[in-house]
Amino acid sequence: MPQPAIRIVLADDERMVRTALRAILSVEPDVEVVGEAATGAEAVSVVRELRPDVVLMDVRMPEIDGIRATEQILATLDEPPRVVVVTTFENDSYVYDALRAGASGFLLKRADADALVQAVRLVARTDSLLFPSAVRALAAEHGRKAAPAAPWVSRLTGRERDVLRHMADGLTNAEIARRLDVGPATVKSHVAAVLAKTGTRDRTQAVIAAYEAGFLSVG
C-alpha cells in the first residue's frame, strides 16, 4: 500500500517564492501543498488549522518572524509538523536560532528542485539529520563560545554518547543499529533517553545542544 502524501504548508512573505516552491513540489506524486502563509502569524494559524506534516518556513517575515512562529507551532500542537527553514543565507544567525527553537533543518532558497524534494522526504519520513555538515558549520559560527559543560553530559551513558555522536553524523536509527550491532528498538530507546536528558524535542536540537555543551567538536 502506498504511503499517504506528505502534506506541506509554505510560509514565506514573497509570493514568487511560494509560487516557485509550489510549482516544484506539486508535480511530485507523494507530496501535497495544502496551504500557504505570508506572515509568521498567519503561518501559525494555517498550521493549527491544516495540521501538515512539514512546514517550509522563511525566517524573516512580517508580524512575527519564522523563529517565533516555529516556537509557537511546536509549543501548541500535540503532534506538531517538522519545520524546515528556507533561507537565503546559510550562515544566518536567524537560521541557527530557528534550529535551537526546534526547526528540523534548513534549506537554501537557491537549492535545486531535487534537493528541495529530497529534504522534504527526509524530514517527513526518516529519522536522519538533515545536512549534518551544515548544522556543524552553523554551530561553529554561531554556537555559544566557551560555554560551561552542561549537567546533562555527565548523565549520558556510554552507549547514549555513542548514539548521540552517530546522530550528529546524520545516521538513521537503522544505520546506528548496524554500526553498534544492536537492534533498532534499542537505538530508538537510546535516542529517547538522549532527548530526555538534553531536554530537547528532536535530533536536531539534541545535536545543537551537544555542540554548545562542548560534547561534540566543531573543529
Side-chain angles (χ1 to χ4, degrees):
M1 176 180 293
Q3 291 180 304
I6 301 167
R7 302 174 72 253
I8 298 178
V9 162
L10 308 175
D12 197 294
D13 61 335
E14 296 185 39
R15 182 186 296 272
M16 289 181 62
V17 172
R18 300 198 308 273
T19 299
L21 292 173
R22 179 181 283 274
I24 293 169
L25 294 168
S26 294
V27 300
E28 300 297 325
D30 60 338
V31 175
E32 179 185 7
V33 177
V34 297
E36 297 184 13
T39 70
E42 187 179 358
V44 175
S45 177
V46 169
V47 169
R48 285 173 177 168
E49 177 186 357
L50 299 178
R51 304 298 178 96
D53 302 304
V54 176
V55 182
L56 297 183
M57 179 82 75
D58 187 16
V59 286
R60 302 188 182 191
M61 287 188 292
E63 298 181 10
I64 61 174
D65 61 29
I67 302 168
R68 303 285 86 77
T70 296
E71 289 177 337
Q72 291 185 25
I73 288 169
L74 298 179
T76 58
L77 295 180
D78 291 336
E79 296 183 6
R82 310 297 295 275
V83 177
V84 176
V85 173
V86 183
T87 180
T88 303
F89 306 107
E90 59 187 309
N91 283 327
D92 195 329
S93 62
Y94 278 79
V95 175
Y96 187 74
D97 289 342
L99 296 180
R100 295 187 75 241
S104 296
F106 75 95
L107 188 70
L108 296 179
K109 289 185 177 181
R110 64 176 181 270
D112 61 30
D114 289 343
L116 170 63
V117 174
Q118 180 183 9
V120 167
R121 289 175 177 147
L122 185 70
V123 299
R125 291 183 170 159
T126 78
D127 47 28
S128 179
L129 189 69
L130 182 61
F131 304 142
S133 61
V135 173
R136 185 182 307 112
L138 276 170
E141 181 71 20
H142 300 288
R144 297 172 179 170
K145 308 301 182 185
W152 58 260
V153 174
S154 63
R155 295 198 294 268
L156 293 177
T157 67
R159 187 46 58 92
E160 288 163 1
R161 290 167 180 258
D162 292 338
V163 167
L164 180 51
R165 292 186 183 97
H166 289 315
M167 287 165 56
D169 288 335
L171 273 62
T172 65
N173 285 359
E175 291 168 337
I176 296 173
R178 289 193 293 271
R179 187 73 58 89
L180 299 179
D181 195 24
V182 298
T186 299
V187 173
K188 185 176 181 180
S189 177
H190 287 316
V191 170
V194 168
L195 297 184
K197 290 179 180 181
T198 56
T200 55
R201 182 184 298 273
D202 69 5
R203 300 166 89 93
T204 303
Q205 278 189 307
V207 169
I208 289 289
Y211 282 122
E212 291 193 338
F215 175 77
L216 295 172
S217 172
V218 295

